[in-house]
Amino acid sequence: MSSEERRRAVLCAIVEGYVSTSEPIGSKALAARPGLGVSPATIRNDMAALEEEGLIAQPHTSAGRIPTDKGYRYFVDHLAASSLPGAHRRAISTFLSDAVDLSDVVERSVRLLSQLTRQVAVVQYPSLRESRVRRVELVRAGLDRALVVVVSADARVEQAMVMLGDSPTDDVFERVAREANEAAEGLGSAALERALDEWAARPGQVSWARAVADAVLEGARGGTVERVVFAGTSNLVRADAGLEQDAIAPVLEALEEQVVLIRLLHEMARESDDVAVRIGQETHHEAFAKTAIIAAGYGPGGDGGSLLASLGPTRMDYPGTMAAVRAVARYLTKAVAA
Amino acid sequence: MSSEERRRAVLCAIVEGYVSTSEPIGSKALAARPGLGVSPATIRNDMAALEEEGLIAQPHTSAGRIPTDKGYRYFVDHLAASSLPGAHRRAISTFLSDAVDLSDVVERSVRLLSQLTRQVAVVQYPSLRESRVRRVELVRAGLDRALVVVVSADARVEQAMVMLGDSPTDDVFERVAREANEAAEGLGSAALERALDEWAARPGQVSWARAVADAVLEGARGGTVERVVFAGTSNLVRADAGLEQDAIAPVLEALEEQVVLIRLLHEMARESDDVAVRIGQETHHEAFAKTAIIAAGYGPGGDGGSLLASLGPTRMDYPGTMAAVRAVARYLTKAVAA
DNA sequence: AATTGGCACTCAATCGTGATGAGTGCCAAA
DNA sequence: TTTGGCACTCATCACGATTGAGTGCCAATT
């Protein structure tokens, strides 16, 4: 093994050691490890070089080394894809096999992922592709408001409240409701838009027809809300997790906020078509500065898909977590396709 | 003031002092307070009596006293209803005034409540009363499964997946879908049940008609799922919150679990028609042993209503939190009635 | 040029010690 | 019943000494 190779091995050993013990790793402890049969002094030289490169650091003078964000990054980039333990594999298939509907699938997945990784799991609801409208239903919900319900051909139901700005009689309301359905039924995308535009612009049409048409279009597109569900937030506060008390509250806040997280996940999805990893500072968010996020897309490729992720302290089991995220993403893809 | 009254005043002062400083309160500090003009020695006597009654305790010999669960209970029971700061009142009305639909109202409420109380807020989705079926829609979602969508007259949409145990042709499926809607349309409660029973039992009916009928009935009843949303979990880990690190993870787990919390809230709603309070051990749950829960019903009285709550460490500002919970419940009642 | 053993040095963590003082319980006096 | 006095307890803090893990550097070795 060349000295270059050994330096790399030393880095990996430091990462693995620190992740499993959560304590800085010294040269002596490393030398005792089987695998790299060299003396502590040699390892010290390698460590000095690695520190020079900014891959490891020491918390204080007389302590061992811990990986920096950059060190973790190197480790992750030079990682052979590891496989999932058989027990986990079985857990996934049994967990997801008897889900009854979409929200059930999503909820089971997020719980499963949090259990497999012992981290916080995040699953974004699938952003469903545009599809044909099966039926439009208008339900009166007060004098001047109505609920628009769109049932699409691929078995989704979207609803939205619209303000009428007007108090139509029941007769008028019923007629508009019937017409809206007739205009939209069976159509999709461009044809749907044309039909609804025409309908809303008919002479003598009620003033709120445009609002209804927009609601139907939005419903057909799968809604604008990008919902995200979590599980396993308690893993953040586990004593062995390695996040200081002060670092936890901002993370929980950011998770509840959602918007920051969703944008981050989108960025990550764009830059990799397998599993994407952001470590510490790479998240570019103060709240996540001490955490790492491992994300993967699921569902049909292209824009139709959606995202899931695992979030934990930078000191996490990267190979294991990446394998779990990849596996759940794969199963979830199957589950939503069915 | 009689000695009995003073003892009560001492207890209240201890609670208030401990809540605001999060440190045990000594006799000297109490005597310095204006209000009860007696010497530290007298207060010590009162304290001994209060400790005898189990209302206060001392963490260690040479420390001041802190309230026990029982002490907090006494304090809460003998509390004059306090009113909400004007700023909070304004916050409530502006926060809720421009909500667009039910889930928006619920989400705004839970955020608002967590901000007002600086605790974890929990809001249960309104369990809506049974109502007439406006329309039933069956959407095929695979060879042997279908989505049943029930739109009710009061502007709700419920959906459920049913397994057909059979792979009907599209023609048959369409016919059954039409018939199911005809059978259910416009009916409610008993009449609906009768009509669906008759429909499902018709000679020559498909085998899965019963499953569809059940799904429709359940949808009309508002579904069985009782969803709960949270906000402000980061407040649990705030350093000044007063929960030890180890106590936090179980709480987060229990919140995610939901089922325990929901049952607890139901119990609480039953025992009080104003604001109900459970303190520490009174929750009868290990996870909540160090927390207090303040719950109130909202929505129309009787079974139609639902619940919201605030959860935090037992060392919390009870009057303030109770006032906030009460106020949000009141506004929320208005919001869902509209 | 790379590796190794030796050695002095640094510094966090640990422990023991003593001082401090907040707070108590008890008792006798008012 | 209240109060002042007083001895007692015990967590907390500050100080110092010790320990030991781990390092950096250098000269010797391969």
Side-chain angles (χ1 to χ4, degrees), chain B residues 84-97 99 105-106 109 112 116 296-299 308 323-338:
Chain B
L84 207 64
H88 284 185
R89 189 159 308 175
R90 274 188 300 281
I92 293 181
S93 39
T94 57
F95 222 82
L96 293 185
S97 63
V105 168
V106 169
S109 301
L112 172 66
L116 291 182
Y298 72 89
L308 86 177
V325 167
R326 192 179 286 122
V328 173
R330 192 139 46 210
Y331 276 82
L332 200 42
T333 300
K334 270 194 244 167
V336 298

Side-chain angles (χ1 to χ4, degrees), chain A residues 253-327:
Chain A
E253 276 165 27
L255 288 178
E256 278 184 10
E257 204 56 54
Q258 301 212 353
V259 51
V260 167
L261 182 67
I262 287 175
R263 198 169 49 217
L264 186 56
L265 290 180
H266 275 154
E267 276 176 44
M268 292 175 70
R270 215 172 303 127
E271 77 198 20
S272 161
D273 41 77
D274 182 37
V275 174
V277 180
R278 288 278 177 109
I279 300 165
Q281 307 290 350
E282 294 173 3
T283 57
H284 302 302
H285 284 287
E286 186 58 41
F288 297 137
K290 298 283 178 61
T291 67
I293 303 177
I294 298 181
Y298 71 89
D303 300 355
S306 194
L307 297 162
L308 85 179
S310 180
L311 182 152
T314 48
R315 201 200 110 248
M316 68 155 66
D317 169 20
Y318 289 93
T321 307
M322 287 167 74
V325 167
R326 194 180 284 120

